[in-house]
Amino acid sequence: MLIQVTPRLGLDEADLSETFIAASGPGGQNVNKVATAVQLRFDLGNCTTLPESVKARLRTLAGRRLTQEGVIVITANRFRTQLQNREDARERLFEMIRAAAIAPVYRKPTRPTKASKTRRLDAKNHRGEIKRLRRTGPDA
């Protein structure tokens, strides 16, 4: 089954795997009994639905969350329920993929026009003239 991340990108459900672990933090006595934290694993290396350019940017964005095997691991334990943590982990992964889907815009180098060079030099001369007129002494 394909999960739609952006209008053009989707993920295969088989590339995601979830494990539930005991969470620290709020939960009272329940925290010791129920595994509410979610560890979401996304196999980036074997993913066939994402283009190579998006995968390359995703590797950079993932940082230390990326294992040597090419798996992105996201741990979510902000909430007290498994369902909320599961949705949180998936949403964080999808946000990362959406950010990686945006191709960087490279600056095309341009040269200054003759008019802009003239304006810059005129402004410098004008500024120098103002400073020269402030001076007092025999050379002014």
Side-chain angles (χ1 to χ4, degrees):
M1 183 172 152
L2 200 65
I3 304 167
Q4 208 64 29
V5 179
T6 68
R8 293 182 178 198
L9 292 177
L11 286 181
D12 191 8
E13 185 82 43
D15 291 334
L16 299 175
S17 68
E18 295 167 338
T19 51
F20 299 98
I21 53 177
S24 60
Q29 293 175 343
N30 199 42
V31 79
N32 300 322
K33 299 184 288 184
V34 183
T36 55
V38 178
Q39 198 173 57
L40 177 68
R41 293 176 168 273
F42 171 57
D43 194 355
L44 184 62
N46 295 328
C47 178
T48 56
T49 56
L50 293 179
E52 276 305 315
S53 57
V54 174
K55 283 185 186 181
R57 287 192 291 273
L58 194 53
R59 281 186 192 93
T60 306
L61 281 174
R64 61 184 179 89
R65 290 175 285 215
L66 184 69
T67 65
Q68 288 184 344
E69 294 82 34
V71 177
I72 296 176
V73 180
I74 295 177
T75 306
N77 61 357
R78 282 196 291 182
F79 301 102
R80 290 175 65 154
T81 65
Q82 234 181 42
L83 184 64
Q84 283 179 310
N85 282 329
R86 186 171 180 240
E87 288 172 3
D88 181 42
R90 284 181 173 234
E91 191 52 43
R92 281 165 44 197
L93 175 67
F94 297 159
E95 278 301 314
M96 202 184 305
I97 293 170
R98 284 185 203 112
I102 300 169
V105 179
Y106 293 104
R107 180 187 173 273
K108 182 181 173 186
T110 58
R111 298 180 67 181
T113 62
K114 188 171 184 176
S116 68
K117 286 180 185 176
T118 307
R119 278 194 304 271
R120 183 180 65 86
L121 293 175
D122 288 346
K124 284 169 70 93
N125 285 331
H126 180 67
R127 194 81 195 134
E129 186 65 23
I130 290 171
K131 290 182 178 186
R132 191 186 65 76
L133 292 172
R134 282 188 203 143
R135 279 191 242 152
T136 57
D139 60 336

